[in-house]
Amino acid sequence: MTDRPTLTDDTEVPPGESPVNCPHCGRPLESERLLVLHEGIDHWERLDDERREEFHETYRRENDDLRTFRLKMLGVLVVVYFAFLFVYSVQMNDPYSVISLAFV
């Protein structure tokens, strides 16, 4: 099995920053965490057991972070929905006030 091809986009590095380069394909990455994820996804066959375990742990943490973010966004969406529902119910006492609110 061969490595999956990676994109060859031009990459600009801000002055004073030093990216982490993939030892397999030379792709610059922002952090060591992203390098571990990149290697696990694109260069799995080349990794030793220790690096594969590091990939699994990093992938697990990334999934936990994404799950937390999704739950927070769901909470924000629920709060916004009920805020609009509350404003709508208050304004419905006078049906013309909803129209005036839309045109203000």
Side-chain angles (χ1 to χ4, degrees), residues 33 37 41 55-71:
R33 179 183 59 85
L37 291 171
I41 291 171
F55 166 73
H56 284 300
E57 183 59 35
T58 304
Y59 189 81
R60 232 177 272 125
R61 276 188 269 129
E62 186 79 10
N63 276 342
D64 291 343
D65 292 345
L66 282 173
R67 186 175 300 118
T68 302
F69 173 75
R70 288 176 183 146
L71 286 173

Side-chain angles (χ1 to χ4, degrees), residues 28-92:
L29 298 157
E30 185 177 324
S31 66
E32 181 67 28
R33 179 183 59 85
L34 292 177
L35 174 63
V36 171
L37 291 171
H38 165 74
E39 285 181 329
I41 291 171
D42 290 339
H43 308 292
W44 180 258
E45 295 82 18
R46 293 181 176 184
L47 300 180
D48 59 359
D49 290 337
E50 181 181 322
R51 196 67 169 179
R52 287 180 180 184
E53 185 58 38
E54 189 177 347
F55 166 73
H56 284 300
E57 183 59 35
T58 304
Y59 189 81
R60 232 177 272 125
R61 276 188 269 129
E62 186 79 10
N63 276 342
D64 291 343
D65 292 345
L66 282 173
R67 186 175 300 118
T68 302
F69 173 75
R70 288 176 183 146
L71 286 173
K72 287 179 182 179
M73 289 301 105
L74 178 63
V76 168
L77 183 63
V78 167
V79 167
V80 168
Y81 172 78
F82 280 105
F84 277 120
L85 188 63
F86 176 73
V87 168
Y88 179 74
S89 68
V90 167
Q91 292 297 321
M92 281 309 292

Side-chain angles (χ1 to χ4, degrees), residues 6-12 27-28:
T6 56
L7 298 176
T8 56
D9 293 333
D10 291 334
T11 304
E12 291 184 26
R27 180 177 178 182

